[in-house]
Amino acid sequence: MTSLIPGRISVVIPAYNQEAYICDALASLERQKLGNWEMEVLVVDDASTDATASLIESYLDRVPGLKLIKLEHNVGVSAARNIALKQVTGEFYTFLDPDDWYGPQHLATLADTLSKLHVDFVRCDHVRVTGTNRVIYRAPQALRGIVLNPADDIEPIDSPSMVDYPYSWAGMYRTELMKSIDCFYFDEQLLSAEDRPWIWKLHLDTSRYAVISSPSIFYRRGLPNSLSQVFDERQLGFLEAYTQVLATVREHPNSARHLPKALRQFFAIVCHHEKRSKNYPPQVRLTIKKQLREIFSDIDVAVAHQVVLEMDVARRRHILSYLQPGQIGVAK
């Protein structure tokens, strides 16, 4: 078992064909003002076919604690993160996507808060970058810099809450604790939405966290290869992700409290993909429809009806089409 080093922050970066952006991420780490903290940076080159690996190597003497892990075969973002997580030695750890970057105070600010408040994890705001446009995007919790109960911030049902802020990189986590509650690794089978079940488990199984007003991570949007811009089988990840979320919530001691929120979130994602479905290849559309019917065949019907009646008319109609007993046989 890897020994953890007090005062060290580990940063996990999975990278695949990121030659256009990886230098921005690494330069932001080079500029970090760490104070009393030290840094470990674990970059996994996921069998890139461009100059990503050589660009990372050019920073080995510039970024403190930088380590490059080269893979011979592409394994995907979840598995790449997990490979790095197995080598983490920091007391705290966080994530950085290879096309994003940090402000100079980012790591020290989050680590100082974790240490001062003695919380399990801390979350932060971020800046969304679209071309030359930058907009601060706030985490949906108004109480800042104080100790909060993660489970209390799963709700409300009908407005954004912290489980609707599914960005693992917008936070920092206490390594030993996350390992002890089995909230450390990501499901390597998920093609997308891998952060969704991870965030839910984080809020269900921890006891103390804080949110801070520190929008110092810069998140690029609208890139050609980003998930929001592609329409292939990678979109199917949300189906398995929410199968896991719903199963986790059902098994939790407070399932009656949290299941309506989980269903509401799932229904919203279903409607989101329905709007995008015209852009999907026919086989992907068929697979989504088939797997949704399987998920709805085992849905919590009474709670689902209660939740869907609080949704707007268009989304209500769409979800009710899956809840019709004659269509999928869910009458109970």
Side-chain angles (χ1 to χ4, degrees):
M1 181 176 179
T2 304
S3 298
L4 301 181
I5 299 175
R8 175 175 290 182
I9 303 164
S10 296
V11 182
V12 169
I13 307 176
Y16 174 67
N17 287 353
Q18 290 291 326
E19 64 180 6
Y21 307 109
I22 190 64
C23 289
D24 290 343
L26 295 175
S28 76
L29 290 165
E30 184 182 11
R31 294 191 297 267
Q32 287 299 296
K33 300 183 183 301
L34 294 169
N36 295 323
W37 300 95
E38 68 174 54
M39 183 171 66
E40 170 184 64
V41 181
L42 301 167
V43 186
V44 178
D45 175 55
D46 194 9
S48 295
T49 58
D50 63 3
T52 297
S54 62
L55 289 171
I56 297 166
E57 288 172 340
S58 72
Y59 278 83
L60 287 173
D61 295 328
R62 298 164 58 181
V63 176
L66 175 59
K67 179 180 180 181
L68 171 60
I69 304 167
K70 286 186 179 182
L71 304 184
E72 294 185 2
H73 305 287
N74 183 265
V75 297
V77 62
S78 293
R81 279 178 177 169
N82 288 347
I83 288 168
L85 285 168
K86 290 174 183 176
Q87 300 188 34
V88 158
T89 62
E91 174 186 9
F92 305 146
Y93 72 99
T94 187
F95 304 97
L96 177 62
D97 283 350
D99 50 5
D100 300 336
W101 71 94
Y102 293 150
Q105 305 284 347
H106 179 75
L107 292 176
T109 299
L110 269 62
D112 286 345
T113 303
L114 258 173
S115 181
K116 178 182 176 181
L117 295 180
H118 304 286
V119 290
D120 304 332
F121 65 98
V122 62
R123 304 296 306 283
C124 64
D125 306 322
H126 68 273
V127 178
R128 292 194 171 185
V129 180
T130 308
T132 59
N133 187 43
R134 299 184 181 187
V135 178
I136 294 177
Y137 194 83
R138 303 285 184 187
Q141 168 55 269
L143 299 175
R144 301 297 173 105
I146 63 172
V147 178
L148 302 168
N149 183 341
D152 289 342
D153 287 350
I154 290 174
E155 283 74 35
I157 296 171
D158 56 355
S159 60
S161 73
M162 289 302 293
V163 292
D164 299 307
Y165 192 69
Y167 311 112
S168 57
W169 41 257
M172 187 176 286
Y173 313 92
R174 195 173 292 274
T175 308
E176 186 174 10
L177 176 78
M178 294 301 135
K179 287 185 174 182
S180 71
I181 62 171
D182 193 26
C183 191
F184 195 58
Y185 299 111
F186 293 83
D187 186 334
E188 299 182 4
Q189 302 305 310
L190 294 180
L191 297 171
S192 57
E194 71 284 346
D195 284 352
R196 294 282 182 167
W198 190 88
I199 288 288
W200 269 91
K201 190 168 181 60
L202 190 68
H203 278 264
L204 287 168
D205 293 347
T206 57
S207 58
R208 295 165 57 87
Y209 92 113
V211 181
I212 58 173
S213 298
S214 180
S216 54
I217 181 166
F218 295 80
Y219 169 41
R220 293 188 205 261
R221 297 276 290 174
L223 298 179
N225 293 324
S226 68
L227 192 62
S228 62
Q229 304 299 311
V230 299
F231 302 94
D232 57 26
E233 68 279 356
R234 283 173 286 179
Q235 297 292 338
L236 300 175
F238 86 97
L239 296 160
E240 174 59 25
Y242 276 95
T243 298
Q244 293 181 19
V245 168
L246 294 174
T248 298
V249 175
R250 288 184 187 117
E251 294 168 2
H252 196 269
N254 290 323
S255 60
R257 174 186 174 188
H258 301 309
L259 185 57
K261 177 67 177 186
L263 287 170
R264 174 68 180 243
Q265 191 182 76
F266 171 55
F267 294 163
I269 296 294
V270 170
C271 293
H272 166 75
H273 282 275
E274 177 67 18
K275 286 183 179 180
R276 290 164 51 90
S277 64
K278 64 180 182 296
N279 298 310
Y280 297 159
Q283 187 57 48
V284 173
R285 290 202 303 270
L286 287 172
T287 301
I288 289 176
K289 291 286 188 183
K290 177 183 177 182
Q291 292 190 25
L292 280 176
R293 294 191 184 285
E294 292 175 358
I295 295 171
F296 274 88
S297 71
D298 193 39
I299 209 76
D300 312 81
V301 178
V303 181
H305 274 286
Q306 178 184 356
V307 169
V308 79
L309 291 176
E310 299 297 324
M311 301 177 73
D312 63 77
V313 173
R315 291 194 294 176
R316 184 191 314 163
R317 184 179 298 117
H318 182 62
I319 298 303
L320 284 175
S321 73
Y322 284 101
L323 289 170
Q324 294 303 314
Q327 189 170 7
I328 57 173
V330 298
K332 295 181 181 179

